[in-house]
Amino acid sequence: MSEQKKPQLAVIGTVAIDAVETPFGKKDKVFGGSASYFAYAASFFSTVALVAAVGKDFPDDYRGILLERKIDLSHLEVYEGKTFSWKGKYEFDMNSAKTLDTQLNVLLEFNPRLKFKDPPEFLFLANIDPALQIQVLDQLKKPRLKFVACDTMNFWIENKRADLMKVLPRIDCLVLNDAEARELTGETNLVRAAQKVKELGPDHVVIKKGEHGVLGYFEEQFFIFPAFPLETVKDPTGAGDSFAGGMMGYISSQKELTLSTFKKAVAFGTVVASYTVEDFGLESLRQRTIENFDERLDIFRKLSSF
Ligand code: AMP
């Protein structure tokens, strides 16, 4: 394998074996997980290290997929037992997944110990137990760490709210979907929900609304983007994680963070996610190059300007 560059961006999250059902098909043993989608997407823009746990059943082929993008796997720990698995179903309205089963498996033992010689300056706390997000935050600190963003979901909001509340004051940006924003804050209105999230800690908030685009809140400034209009949506799994990967990958490649770079990062996130959903798992992203993202970004810019 060719030599790996120092990772600029680290992600902790799940590496999973999914079973997914959509109106367009049903697939077992799909390579998934919040950190897998995130790292794969971010690797088009930046150098990425993945911090995660898998079981002995984790296929070499899946490891090979991550290595295709030169993702640093020195913190991918193999435990006895089974890899985290998730089973989900999308009805005809593909905006939200119904979780049929979650098996935490090796996540119950996961104890991340970071040993970076030259620690990354950007961190993404992908969807995982907030207690594990805290463990990583305790090991990668500011001022070395320049920017930290985080994702979560209903599973953790409902089961680990107290730990999640401890994460929020320690991050710069929370990325979550509309239902999660409403559940976390108790606000039905998303503008007010974003403001309430900011009161809980992060300076910036990105609320994803599936096919209806995103609401961004950068410091005191709101902005909105549509989603990329698509004729084919086969499997929305991983849209949120690859959105965050495109967004954080771009941010970590930039010298400074302004409203303008943040908006471009959110636009790249939108474009990357638009490719993810066109096929099951990572299949569509595996066919992409950075040129594809640039081309679609140009189209996206034209179709949303007036
Ligand atoms: P999304 O981008 O929101 O569609 O995320 C999809 C991925 O999240 C799937 O590949 C799942 O393996 C993973 N996932 C599902 N439930 C959880 C959970 N409770 N914690 C962390 N990751 C999860």
Side-chain angles (χ1 to χ4, degrees):
M1 220 198 81
S2 61
E3 198 190 316
Q4 279 183 334
K5 294 203 189 109
K6 161 195 152 10
Q8 189 65 9
L9 167 64
V11 55
I12 175 169
T14 53
V15 168
I17 300 177
D18 291 341
V20 180
E21 188 178 339
T22 83
F24 305 100
K26 195 174 169 181
K27 289 213 172 175
D28 280 338
K29 297 203 179 354
V30 183
F31 178 29
S34 57
S36 317
Y37 281 108
F38 177 92
Y40 202 93
S43 70
F44 289 96
F45 302 87
S46 189
T47 46
V48 187
L50 183 149
V51 179
V54 291
K56 290 262 190 229
D57 59 343
F58 186 64
D60 281 345
D61 292 359
Y62 292 178
R63 185 181 292 273
I65 291 174
L66 297 169
L67 290 173
E68 275 169 14
R69 299 288 327 153
K70 299 194 168 48
I71 294 163
D72 178 336
L73 300 184
S74 51
H75 291 83
L76 179 65
E77 290 179 47
V78 183
Y79 284 80
E80 292 292 332
K82 290 175 97 175
T83 302
F84 172 85
S85 74
W86 176 77
K87 192 173 179 187
K89 184 175 176 178
Y90 299 83
E91 303 290 356
F92 222 73
D93 161 16
M94 301 237 275
N95 271 328
S96 60
K98 186 169 177 234
T99 294
L100 302 176
D101 188 41
T102 304
Q103 295 291 332
L104 296 175
N105 296 334
V106 293
L107 275 201
L108 295 169
E109 302 163 57
F110 186 27
N111 181 21
R113 289 269 161 262
L114 306 188
K115 40 189 192 308
F116 290 109
K117 275 200 214 110
D118 200 356
E121 292 168 348
F122 295 83
L123 173 65
F124 189 67
L125 306 168
N127 188 19
I128 198 168
D129 187 336
L132 292 166
Q133 295 177 328
I134 291 172
Q135 277 193 45
V136 168
L137 278 173
D138 287 343
Q139 295 174 67
L140 289 178
K141 294 220 172 78
K142 296 200 168 189
R144 165 82 202 175
L145 197 56
K146 283 194 188 147
F147 188 82
V148 185
C150 173
D151 185 12
T152 192
M153 72 182 281
N154 53 356
F155 189 89
W156 305 114
I157 297 171
E158 287 156 24
N159 297 317
K160 289 287 187 96
R161 184 178 268 270
D163 281 333
L164 183 59
M165 289 301 165
K166 289 185 201 150
V167 173
L168 298 180
R170 299 176 66 179
I171 61 168
D172 300 297
C173 178
L174 185 67
V175 183
L176 72 181
N177 73 29
D178 44 2
E180 292 153 1
R182 291 186 170 110
E183 186 171 4
L184 179 66
T185 61
E187 271 292 346
T188 52
N189 178 288
L190 291 183
V191 170
R192 279 207 295 271
Q195 289 165 332
K196 272 208 171 170
V197 171
K198 185 168 152 94
E199 284 166 22
L200 297 172
D203 282 342
H204 321 294
V205 185
V206 177
I207 300 181
K208 301 163 291 172
K209 300 181 290 170
E211 65 179 324
H212 305 298
V214 289
L215 174 69
Y217 190 38
F218 183 83
E219 291 164 356
E220 300 293 317
Q221 183 78 46
F222 280 103
F223 64 91
I224 48 170
F225 283 143
F228 193 90
L230 293 173
E231 277 177 46
T232 307
V233 178
K234 270 199 195 158
D235 172 19
T237 313
D241 310 306
S242 57
F243 169 93
M247 178 189 124
M248 280 299 283
Y250 182 74
I251 288 175
S252 68
S253 72
Q254 298 299 298
K255 286 212 174 65
E256 51 171 6
L257 185 64
T258 61
L259 174 61
S260 157
T261 39
F262 193 74
K263 284 171 90 172
K264 189 164 175 186
V266 170
F268 265 126
T270 301
V271 162
V272 173
S274 76
Y275 279 114
T276 305
V277 301
E278 285 182 326
D279 208 338
F280 279 86
L282 282 162
E283 284 319 304
S284 170
L285 281 191
R286 291 182 70 197
Q287 315 299 320
R288 300 299 141 218
T289 62
I290 184 72
E291 287 75 27
N292 294 139
F293 301 133
D294 286 334
E295 283 158 19
R296 218 174 238 192
L297 191 80
D298 274 348
I299 302 171
F300 185 62
R301 188 177 283 139
K302 285 187 192 118
L303 66 81
S304 50
S305 69
F306 60 90

